[in-house]
Amino acid sequence: MKNVLVPTDLTHSTSNTMKYALSLCSKSNLKMFFYHASTSAQEDEIHVHKKIADTFKTLNYFLDESRFDIIIEKEPFSNKEVKRIIDQNDIDLVIMGTSPGDYGLTFFDSYVSELINEVSCPVLSVPHDHNDLRVDRIGYASELFDLKDRIKEIIPLVRLFDAHIEIFHVYPVFPEEVNLETFNAGNILLKLSAEYQYDKINIHFVKTQHDNEPVSGIREFLRTYKPDILVMYHKPRGLFDKLVMDTGTTEAMVRSSSIPILALNQKTACRIM
């Protein structure tokens, strides 16, 4: 991973998102692209640069201008423009701000969940009021059957923070890909720890009151184990699904979570960091 896109509307709503993005990217020397939709490019470039400089100063980071670019488009903000910028700049990760439902909508709320369904690169959504930059525990929602391959894709992120990875599985959800009665969690943990030389891995099982309630199960995990980031693999839905289904699990969590959510497109092999 090399390039990160951070859309910003230059308001207080996205200031914490910028801080979170800077904190994350500074740990792995990634290049950041700040994108702002505007009608006054000259004035707003100065404004964006000042916002970036102020954020660096707030975090006591050295302002390395070679590590970021400013993109200002004289177009209304849209996911179409975001996707074009992703393609043009070989973006590996998008970091966007959202707000939990209790706080009302921020500028980007109506775009994030749609973007997750439309792009193949990972999307990290950050609640606008989230100001905790620590990442000690990373929750990972797993269907278990592809655990080994999926863990391989997020281990670099876990190592970046030397964090605990808390794998969890919500059940009963049908059809169940793995027989939980024969699933040997202890043996799986030993194999994962040995293969990746990393022992801060745990597996949890969250049972819901009724069948097929993944969202309530994930929320219960968040309340109980309090991770700093939630990682979810997203299954893009087709037009028919969008017409007949309620908001999908990933989108529902993005709209209500009080912690950052990293959504990975399940159709694409993504390497984080």
Side-chain angles (χ1 to χ4, degrees), residues 88-269:
Q88 285 186 347
N89 297 279
D90 195 23
I91 298 298
D92 303 298
L93 171 67
V94 179
I95 302 178
M96 289 183 70
T98 63
S99 72
D102 292 345
Y103 291 87
L105 294 177
T106 61
F107 180 71
F108 293 122
D109 273 358
S110 59
Y111 297 99
V112 177
S113 59
E114 294 178 6
L115 187 68
I116 289 171
N117 199 57
E118 295 171 0
V119 298
S120 59
C121 69
V123 177
L124 177 61
S125 64
V126 182
H128 82 281
D129 60 338
H130 185 79
N131 54 21
D132 189 349
L133 303 180
R134 297 174 302 170
V135 181
D136 298 323
R137 297 160 65 86
I138 297 177
Y140 164 47
S142 174
E143 294 178 336
L144 299 181
F145 74 93
D146 58 354
L147 182 56
K148 182 179 178 181
D149 291 336
R150 293 303 180 182
I151 285 292
K152 177 175 64 177
E153 296 171 6
I154 63 175
I155 277 290
L157 174 67
V158 177
R159 290 188 188 280
L160 187 67
F161 296 100
D162 191 29
H164 290 266
I165 179 166
E166 308 293 343
I167 303 164
F168 69 99
H169 178 71
V170 177
Y171 75 101
V173 176
F174 299 101
E176 187 68 73
E177 301 280 356
V178 171
N179 185 341
L180 297 185
E181 292 184 2
T182 59
F183 184 82
N184 191 326
N187 189 41
I188 294 295
L189 283 176
L190 287 174
K191 289 181 178 179
L192 291 175
S193 297
E195 181 167 353
Y196 298 111
Q197 295 295 297
Y198 200 82
D199 59 3
K200 297 181 179 181
I201 308 175
N202 299 301
I203 296 181
H204 311 277
F205 296 89
V206 181
K207 186 175 182 179
T208 55
Q209 214 169 18
H210 304 287
D211 296 350
N212 300 316
E213 292 186 336
V215 173
S216 64
I218 292 171
R219 287 174 177 161
E220 178 61 29
F221 172 82
L222 297 183
R223 285 192 295 268
T224 303
Y225 295 99
K226 297 178 173 54
D228 302 300
I229 291 180
L230 174 62
V231 177
M232 301 181 67
Y233 279 93
H234 175 68
K235 296 177 179 178
R237 300 199 308 272
L239 175 61
F240 178 75
D241 292 327
K242 290 180 181 178
L243 290 175
V244 301
M245 294 177 63
D246 292 333
T247 303
T249 302
T250 305
E251 291 98 325
M253 292 308 306
V254 166
R255 290 181 180 275
S256 64
S257 175
S258 61
I259 64 169
I261 294 181
L262 178 63
L264 306 180
N265 191 312
Q266 195 157 4
K267 290 185 178 180
T268 305

Side-chain angles (χ1 to χ4, degrees), residues 1-13:
M1 179 175 287
K2 297 179 181 179
N3 301 320
V4 176
L5 176 63
V6 185
T8 176
D9 61 359
L10 304 181
T11 67
H12 177 70
S13 295

